[in-house]
Amino acid sequence: MLSLKGIVAGYGGGSVLQGVDLECAKQTITCIVGPNGAGKSTVLRVISGLLRPSEGQISMDGEAIADRSPDEILRRGITQVPQSHALFPAMSVRENVLMGGYLIRRNRALLRERLDMVMERVPVVAARAHDNAGNLSGGQRRMVEIARCLMLDPKLILLDEPSLGLDPRSLSGVAGLIHELNAAGTTVLLVEQNVRLGLGLATHGVVMEGGKVRLTGTAAAIKDDPEIASLYLGGTSGSPTAPRPTARSKAEGPKTETTGV
Ligand SMILES: Nc1ncnc2c1ncn2[C@@H]1O[C@H](COP(=O)(O)OP(=O)(O)OP(=O)(O)O)[C@@H](O)[C@H]1O
């Protein structure tokens, strides 16, 4: 569905991404993990068109999108939920969610239909529709941030650190919503510092380091391999007592990239 090949990108002072290859199959949840500054958020920015790569190709359902503008990419069904604090606190929850439908604002019937769909999928939007977003809890705000991006009925949702600043109860609510969206057919690509949570939620994992993809595989295989956890995740992921992956799960992934370290 989504494919990145040889992506090189940066912010003017050298390349942050140094040849990133990444694939997300339809209806998977892929989690990118890795140390601070590895380039995880930059990958999301490149996909959503906020940052143009200097080299490489990005395709969505076979169509090249690397040179498209952010709103053209939105129209192709890719929406990004930014890192926290993305709501307007003095506006109502309903108004915040409606802003996610900016691109379809002239089609009032579709806007109404989508708002109803979003309220059904994310009940806090209906329950707190007329409250100011600033009065919501952190977990509720995150739900509304995700709800807002559903107004365009995306095929692929990009989430940057959905767990940031959330207590365990809110975390499980947000994780539940991500699962529900995925079960309803949406493909998800997320970046997570909380490795355990991110890989626990995902079907596939990608480990980045120094602007490159170091490992890819099933999330379970990456999470449960103690060697990989200590080498690439600072020993913070997986279960300390987890058995080593079987030959079968090793075969399915993770696979170490052979280029550069
Ligand atoms: N807007 C920007 N302008 C200049 N440099 C940036 C900008 N955004 C990120 N960088 C730099 O790009 C590198 C990768 O940043 P990125 O945010 O992609 O990393 P990350 O893996 O998501 O890590 P983190 O979790 O710390 O955000 C870092 O060295 C960062 O300082």
Side-chain angles (χ1 to χ4, degrees):
M1 175 184 214
L2 177 78
S3 163
L4 276 66
K5 286 203 173 68
I7 293 297
V8 176
Y11 300 93
S15 299
V16 170
L17 303 183
Q18 301 178 15
V20 167
D21 296 330
L22 193 110
E23 302 276 339
C24 295
K26 193 166 161 35
Q27 223 182 327
T28 51
I29 303 179
T30 302
C31 179
I32 308 178
V33 298
N36 283 331
K40 305 179 297 294
S41 302
T42 304
V43 168
L44 297 192
R45 273 180 221 128
V46 160
I47 297 168
S48 58
L50 298 174
L51 183 67
R52 193 162 286 203
S54 57
E55 285 176 44
Q57 288 95 44
I58 306 175
S59 68
M60 172 73 175
D61 291 335
E63 188 189 355
I65 57 165
D67 59 349
R68 302 285 178 176
S69 65
D71 72 309
E72 286 175 314
I73 290 171
L74 268 176
R75 287 178 204 279
R76 277 164 180 76
I78 301 177
T79 67
Q80 177 163 0
V81 181
Q83 260 182 13
S84 52
H85 308 304
L87 298 182
F88 294 93
M91 292 172 71
S92 73
V93 166
R94 186 177 183 277
E95 287 165 338
N96 268 282
V97 170
L98 279 172
M99 268 193 290
Y102 185 77
L103 285 182
I104 55 164
R105 66 192 180 283
R106 291 198 182 84
N107 187 340
R108 307 297 296 176
L110 182 61
L111 205 60
R112 180 76 242 171
E113 190 185 300
R114 291 274 172 83
L115 184 63
D116 287 347
M117 178 271 282
V118 169
M119 285 181 168
E120 198 176 305
R121 279 177 159 190
V122 191
V124 69
V125 175
R128 305 291 300 270
H130 301 291
D131 286 337
N132 279 357
N135 294 336
L136 300 180
S137 70
Q140 290 169 333
R141 274 202 293 269
R142 194 62 39 82
M143 297 276 209
V144 174
E145 285 164 1
I146 296 173
R148 182 167 60 183
C149 93
L150 300 180
M151 286 297 289
L152 295 179
D153 196 20
K155 294 185 211 164
L156 172 66
I157 295 182
L158 310 174
L159 289 154
D160 199 345
E161 304 248 10
S163 80
L164 202 70
L166 298 188
D167 59 74
R169 194 158 159 262
S170 306
L171 275 183
S172 74
V174 169
L177 175 59
I178 294 171
H179 266 304
E180 280 171 28
L181 298 177
N182 179 248
T186 314
T187 307
V188 179
L189 174 61
L190 71 146
V191 161
E192 252 311 331
Q193 289 279 358
N194 184 336
V195 173
R196 197 180 295 266
L197 175 101
L199 291 176
L201 185 64
T203 55
H204 292 78
V206 172
V207 182
M208 282 190 70
E209 204 180 282
K212 290 180 179 170
V213 171
R214 313 259 53 132
L215 302 162
T216 59
T218 64
I222 288 181
K223 191 176 57 166
D224 288 341
D225 188 330
E227 189 185 353
I228 287 165
S230 68
L231 268 175
Y232 297 100
L233 306 172
T236 57
S237 79
S239 136
T241 54
R244 292 188 60 77
T246 61
R248 188 175 134 76
S249 65
K250 273 264 188 201
E252 287 171 348
K255 68 174 191 265
T256 309
E257 297 292 313
T258 49
T259 49
V261 168

